[in-house]
Amino acid sequence: MSSRPYCAADSGHVREPYVRPSTVGQHPTVVTDGRALPSDTMSNAQTAGPLGGRTALVTGAASGIGAAVARRMAADGATVLAVDRDAEGVKALARDVPGVEPVTCDLSDLDAVDALPAQVDVLVNNAGLQHVAPVHEFDPERFHLILTIMLEAPFRMARRMLPHMYDRGWGRIINISSVHGLRASPFKSAYVTAKHGLEGLSKVIALEGAPHGVTSNCVDPAYVRTPLVEKQIADQARQHGIGEDEVVEKIMLTPVAVKRLVEPDEVAELAAVLYGPASASITGASLTLDGGWTAH
């Protein structure tokens, strides 16, 4: 699925986002690892590869799928804004990967989301969290939080960044959805609702963006070897009263024909197709990486 709670970071108290709303008449300022860059003058030092000269933004980038996608995009020439609530995680990624700029932001803070840079050519909506409980016991505040981070924040980022993409006549929105954007499972009402909503939002953007050279697609993996899935294994074990090994074998891998977890780098490789040379006519699509789950 996606990464860890709140922009793929550990759950806990919300940290103050470093992206601050601007004062009247000024552009928001992005602080990247101690350096201040006005969001409308952000430049791309990378020039080689299919994303040379372009800026990408990846949410949930401190670990798992987000980190794998950020590494792949940087290798393809992009300047990558790696967004996550986990400040140390994105700083570590930036130290290891040239072309990555760390951006600390909690996507549950919608004012901070609205202050993220608008001059983005490729937006990757990846951040997510999971909560496992029957509907009649599901905490409404948790439900609201999951939809805020996984559906409203992607909408707001697309709304903010699409004008720049339209002006340039080129843009790519890649939504890391899930097989749960196409199929439901019990005890995951908020996650399934958010992913189904993201699929619909992606299709609307695809239809609106096509005349402007902008595509919008979803990548739909089955269970991916990420911190979120590791936590989910423990939650499912408690919910069903079984061991964690049984959760993987009897719950997670039962619907799939390929009996293994998906690796984050596999998701990154599929995402690369959606911004690469063959991407112009791929839009409004949901590309599965589900080991045959949806073949049933």
Side-chain angles (χ1 to χ4, degrees):
M1 302 304 171
S2 296
S3 26
R4 293 194 223 164
Y6 295 81
C7 299
D10 291 325
S11 59
H13 295 293
V14 176
R15 301 172 189 148
E16 179 183 354
Y18 89 110
V19 181
R20 301 176 183 84
S22 63
T23 57
V24 175
Q26 296 179 338
H27 295 289
T29 296
V30 176
V31 182
T32 56
D33 203 19
R35 291 171 289 163
L37 296 173
S39 64
D40 61 343
T41 61
M42 195 167 296
S43 62
N44 189 335
Q46 310 282 97
T47 57
L51 292 180
R54 302 197 187 276
T55 297
L57 187 149
V58 182
T59 66
S63 64
I65 294 171
V69 171
R71 287 192 296 267
R72 185 66 165 81
M73 290 180 134
D76 280 336
T79 290
V80 182
L81 306 180
V83 176
D84 205 294
R85 183 173 175 267
D86 179 0
E88 293 307 313
V90 286
K91 287 178 181 178
L93 179 68
R95 285 193 296 269
D96 292 341
V97 183
V100 171
E101 296 284 356
V103 178
T104 308
C105 179
D106 182 346
L107 296 189
S108 70
D109 182 344
L110 295 177
D111 288 337
V113 172
D114 288 341
L116 287 169
Q119 285 70 33
V120 169
D121 304 299
V122 184
L123 168 63
V124 181
N125 290 308
N126 166 69
L129 65 159
Q130 180 64 276
H131 183 70
V132 178
V135 170
H136 67 283
E137 296 176 1
F138 211 102
D139 179 4
E141 292 300 317
R142 195 70 174 170
F143 190 96
H144 173 73
L145 176 67
I146 290 172
L147 263 67
T148 298
I149 291 171
M150 294 174 57
L151 186 54
E152 184 165 1
F155 157 74
R156 287 186 179 232
M157 284 184 285
R159 179 180 181 273
R160 179 163 174 76
M161 296 164 193
L162 279 170
H164 168 77
M165 296 181 187
Y166 289 175
D167 285 346
R168 296 196 69 176
W170 191 94
R172 300 289 182 263
I173 295 180
I174 301 169
N175 300 297
I176 307 301
S177 181
S178 163
V179 68
H180 281 117
L182 307 173
R183 298 288 189 271
S185 290
F187 310 119
K188 299 178 181 179
S189 56
Y191 190 90
V192 170
T193 299
K195 292 300 189 184
H196 273 67
L198 187 64
E199 297 275 340
L201 175 63
S202 181
K203 290 179 173 67
V204 171
I205 294 171
L207 296 177
E208 293 182 7
H212 307 281
V214 174
T215 67
S216 175
N217 294 285
C218 290
V219 175
D220 298 83
Y223 291 99
V224 182
R225 195 185 305 278
T226 66
L228 180 135
V229 167
E230 291 169 2
K231 179 180 183 300
Q232 195 176 153
I233 291 170
D235 289 344
Q236 290 273 19
R238 286 192 296 272
Q239 188 70 44
H240 295 280
I242 60 178
E244 293 188 4
D245 289 343
E246 288 183 281
V247 170
V248 175
E249 180 182 350
K250 296 182 178 179
I251 296 177
M252 292 185 169
L253 298 184
T254 292
V256 304
V258 180
K259 299 296 183 182
R260 66 174 182 83
L261 298 177
V262 180
E263 298 297 334
D265 285 343
E266 295 176 78
V267 183
E269 289 299 319
L270 185 54
V273 173
L274 296 176
Y275 62 72
S279 65
S281 291
I282 306 174
T283 196
S286 300
L287 305 185
T288 59
L289 193 69
D290 66 356
W293 188 325
T294 54
H296 294 286

